[in-house]
Amino acid sequence: MRGAPGTVSALTAALRNGALRLPEVIEPYLDRIRKRNDELGALLHVFDEGARSRARELQRRLDAGDWPGPLTGVPVAVKDNISLAGHPTTAGSRILKGFRPVYTATAVERLEASGAIVIGKANLDEFAMGSSNEYSAYGAARNPYDTGRVPGGSSGGCAAAIAGGLALGALGSDTGGSVRQPAAFCGLVALKPQYGSVSRYGLIAFGSSLDQIAPMARTARDCAALYNAIRGVDPHDATSREDGAPVDVEAWSQPPRDVRLGVPRSWLAAGLDADVRAGFDRCCARFAKLGARLVDVALPDPSWAVATYHILANAEASTNLARYDGVRYGPRAAGVASVDVLYAATRGAGFGPEVKRRILLGTYVLSAGYRAAYYARAARARLALRAAYAEVLQCVDALLMPTTPTPAFRLGEKLGDPLAMYLCDVFTIGANLTGWPAVAFPVGRNPAGLPLGAQLCGPLGGEDLLLGLVHRFDGGEPLPLPEG
Amino acid sequence: MSRERSEDAPLSAEEIGHLCRLARLDVTPEERAALRCDIGCILAYMACLDEVETEIAPPDPPPPPSRLREDEPRAGISREDALRNAPAHDGKHFCVPAVVRRPLKRGEGT
């Protein structure tokens, strides 16, 4: 990979001016996948031949003077809970082993229409439920910066693919932080778009009021290019929305003199890793040097968001996952004599431990006698949290906070403690509950070499502001990839 | 239903069994014990929601954000595609174990 363009923008520029030809671009990626994917567990399905023939097709168009689009030739990984017609789509679950969707997600269609090459489907925590990628039924993914550590989750395979040099960008999904937390652990930029900015058509549903398909890349400029390709209203998704002009990070080349960034100071107290804190302080100092004004703000205790989220997301998950019953798709339990036994046995054999936990939690909070105490109350708490966040945004333009309380943790470290795993998302969940956009970005590495991350969050319609600020911060330069 | 609870497991074993029946989900006895403990811990954490309502008042809920497209007829997926991933089908229908028994004809079963 030495000497090959390390960003979307560098690659597309080299293809456009003829300095590179597409087969030369794709082969090193396929070669690297062959060498490293077994170790990293990043991709569950690799499209070697598909990627090669697509590269040839795109090169023919380039040779004919055509420019297919702003992502021409960019090798992209797609999380395996996003549908590609005719290709395996497992959502990281045994219950969808062998499933091949009959239609393609709108976001993937748009990505391909912009010239991108889907190089493979990426590993994930089963049904995107998890923060370490260890809950995948097809094996854990590993962090390229330290393969004894997790890449984060649930879009851990996407993050490992980019940081491992197997792809230049990825489409993940973010229900509670599932692209931002892996971005923090693997030194990447990831945008959780505002709810509705990207069509969810073709995304396997987890928490439908929170889910968003979300781009990941190495710089804000690259992340913006992916986002611009997939955003916008889609007749197949009634919650999708048109959100004005595309993001233009170049328009943010001037220092953000008048921008006020709110820092929820009380969140930085107990439980925050010292390296994460030091990285965040450096990030604040750099934004101040760039001309932003940093203002302390008071946000509700983050534990409230975690509790609210896990009631609402799991209630929605238990409902959404009712469709996996061994009748229409996936494997079916053998030798059963009645439909009720068929459902329960198929689901019992098909779902892993975290998915079972969440289905039962969701069932509990929706069940007669407990719905008012849990689900209805969490729905009200979400409105209260939204109001509290909106109030803070009357005084500042966006919020700045660490993405995660710690850098990447060791494989197995949190597997025995589901609550500890949930608290990995303590800073990211707010953007899902409010529907706000949020961008995670790298702010350097700790002394052990692990990436550290920070996050900008809000306001509604603020994707341009957030990515523009991160572009000012990274200057178009990615965090160096790890050796390997 | 038994309401007997230990401190670490605010759900009884019977309650976990009831939830599994509601969710149409088989779990092994080992899984059941772990789930009882884990779900109990998580529900205990959720008690912090008590503070939210007393400290910040929720506003009126906003209208739902979705908008509907025009109601126009168009092709959906074909029957062939709908059946493509089914573990058992007869070319026209999904097949499942019998739900309703065929009524006995006169003279049958006697």
Side-chain angles (χ1 to χ4, degrees):
Chain A
M1 301 300 284
R2 198 147 284 129
T7 59
V8 171
S9 48
L11 172 64
T12 49
L15 287 170
R16 197 159 203 174
N17 67 24
L20 272 179
R21 292 179 63 79
L22 259 173
E24 300 161 22
V25 172
I26 286 303
E27 281 310 321
Y29 279 95
L30 294 174
D31 193 42
R32 202 158 167 89
I33 289 169
R34 266 193 305 277
K35 286 187 184 134
R36 292 214 70 195
N37 193 45
D38 283 351
E39 180 196 9
L40 294 176
L43 301 174
L44 297 178
H45 323 290
V46 180
F47 304 147
D48 327 43
E49 276 318 306
R52 282 195 187 101
S53 67
R54 174 113 166 104
R56 286 193 297 270
E57 174 217 323
L58 287 165
Q59 187 61 51
R60 274 196 297 275
R61 289 176 63 184
L62 287 170
D63 291 342
D66 186 16
W67 179 245
L71 297 177
T72 295
V74 175
V76 173
V78 173
K79 190 175 179 180
D80 205 26
N81 62 347
I82 302 175
S83 299
L84 252 88
H87 291 290
T89 300
T90 65
S93 181
R94 276 191 305 274
I95 211 161
L96 278 175
K97 193 170 171 56
F99 172 66
R100 289 173 188 256
V102 296
Y103 62 87
T104 296
T106 299
V108 176
E109 277 183 349
R110 289 179 178 177
L111 204 65
E112 292 189 317
S114 293
I117 299 176
V118 178
I119 203 158
K121 299 291 295 291
N123 204 351
L124 70 159
D125 287 295
E126 186 175 1
F127 285 103
M129 297 174 187
S131 305
S132 70
N133 210 125
E134 292 169 291
Y135 292 134
S136 168
Y138 303 100
R142 288 165 183 266
N143 192 316
Y145 284 88
D146 175 350
T147 52
R149 292 175 187 269
V150 304
S154 63
S155 309
C158 292
I162 302 172
L166 316 185
L168 269 186
L171 289 190
S173 66
D174 192 312
T175 305
S178 275
V179 295
R180 288 165 287 154
Q181 188 249 18
F185 284 8
C186 293
L188 307 174
V189 178
L191 165 71
K192 198 288 283 183
Q194 177 178 336
Y195 184 77
S197 290
V198 177
S199 166
R200 289 178 294 117
Y201 183 69
L203 171 66
I204 291 178
F206 161 14
S208 302
S209 75
L210 304 154
D211 295 339
Q212 272 291 274
I213 290 179
M216 307 171 80
R218 295 186 62 205
T219 65
R221 186 195 274 136
D222 289 1
C223 198
L226 288 165
Y227 172 63
N228 283 337
I230 63 174
R231 61 194 274 278
V233 73
D234 173 14
H236 291 302
D237 177 359
T239 61
S240 65
R241 50 182 276 281
E242 204 54 72
D243 66 344
V247 169
D248 178 11
V249 295
E250 310 305 339
W252 288 86
S253 55
Q254 294 305 308
R257 287 244 170 263
D258 301 325
V259 172
R260 291 155 306 165
L261 302 178
V263 176
R265 193 61 58 182
S266 67
W267 288 17
L268 307 179
L272 194 64
D273 174 88
D275 292 337
V276 170
R277 176 62 198 255
F280 182 68
D281 287 344
R282 286 195 300 273
C283 161
C284 288
R286 180 156 162 70
F287 269 119
K289 203 172 162 200
L290 288 170
R293 276 172 44 207
L294 280 89
V295 183
D296 285 357
V297 294
L299 278 177
D301 190 294
S303 63
W304 297 354
V306 175
T308 303
Y309 171 83
H310 277 280
I311 294 171
L312 298 176
N314 293 335
E316 293 181 23
S318 76
T319 312
N320 274 324
L321 270 57
R323 74 192 68 179
Y324 303 104
D325 55 9
V327 174
R328 287 155 295 167
Y329 23 65
R332 166 186 289 194
V336 292
S338 80
V339 165
D340 269 345
V341 176
L342 170 73
Y343 295 158
T346 296
R347 291 161 63 77
F351 290 133
E354 176 63 12
V355 172
K356 286 180 179 175
R357 202 151 41 224
R358 297 209 190 198
I359 287 175
L360 292 179
L361 262 166
T363 304
Y364 181 82
V365 301
L366 288 173
S367 64
Y370 297 104
R371 194 181 179 283
Y374 287 95
Y375 181 77
R377 187 184 231 186
R380 285 197 305 276
R382 162 153 49 179
L383 295 176
L385 289 170
R386 276 186 183 168
Y389 273 69
E391 197 181 317
V392 167
L393 228 61
Q394 308 235 315
C395 318
V396 294
D397 296 295
L399 300 172
L400 179 62
M401 60 190 81
T403 313
T404 55
T406 68
F409 47 89
R410 292 191 179 285
L411 285 152
E413 190 177 319
K414 296 185 195 285
L415 267 182
D417 187 349
L419 194 54
M421 192 75 90
Y422 297 170
L423 292 174
C424 296
D425 297 333
V426 65
F427 299 138
T428 48
I429 276 170
N432 301 86
L433 289 171
T434 55
W436 288 6
V439 181
F441 56 99
V443 298
R445 294 160 71 164
N446 75 358
L450 296 174
L452 302 166
Q455 174 185 227
L456 280 165
C457 181
L460 291 175
E463 284 94 347
D464 187 59
L465 168 75
L466 303 181
L467 284 167
L469 286 169
V470 176
H471 177 61
R472 281 293 303 157
F473 188 90
D474 72 19
E477 286 299 317
L479 196 71
L481 293 180
E483 297 293 319
Chain B
M1 192 179 289
S2 163
R3 293 279 165 190
E4 192 184 320
R5 289 167 172 180
S6 78
E7 213 163 280
D8 289 342
L11 286 180
S12 68
E14 288 78 7
E15 279 172 308
I16 291 289
H18 180 59
L19 289 177
C20 290
R21 280 191 297 280
L22 287 175
R24 306 289 189 275
L25 184 65
D26 278 355
V27 298
T28 64
E30 297 78 45
E31 283 179 322
R32 188 174 296 233
L35 283 163
R36 187 178 165 208
C37 179
D38 293 341
I39 292 178
C41 289
I42 296 161
L43 289 174
Y45 183 85
M46 287 167 177
C48 70
L49 275 190
D50 294 349
E51 300 165 34
V52 183
E53 289 185 327
T54 53
E55 297 209 10
I56 24 180
D60 292 332
S66 66
R67 55 178 167 192
L68 302 178
R69 61 173 182 257
E70 290 303 309
D71 185 14
E72 289 164 348
R74 51 185 190 137
I77 64 168
S78 65
R79 171 183 272 171
E80 190 191 356
D81 275 347
L83 294 172
R84 196 176 293 280
N85 283 289
H89 66 85
D90 65 1
K92 288 185 176 175
H93 313 93
F94 298 110
C95 294
V96 295
V99 177
V100 181
R101 300 269 166 223
R102 183 170 60 88
L104 296 181
K105 287 182 188 156
R106 185 174 301 165
E108 262 186 356
T110 51

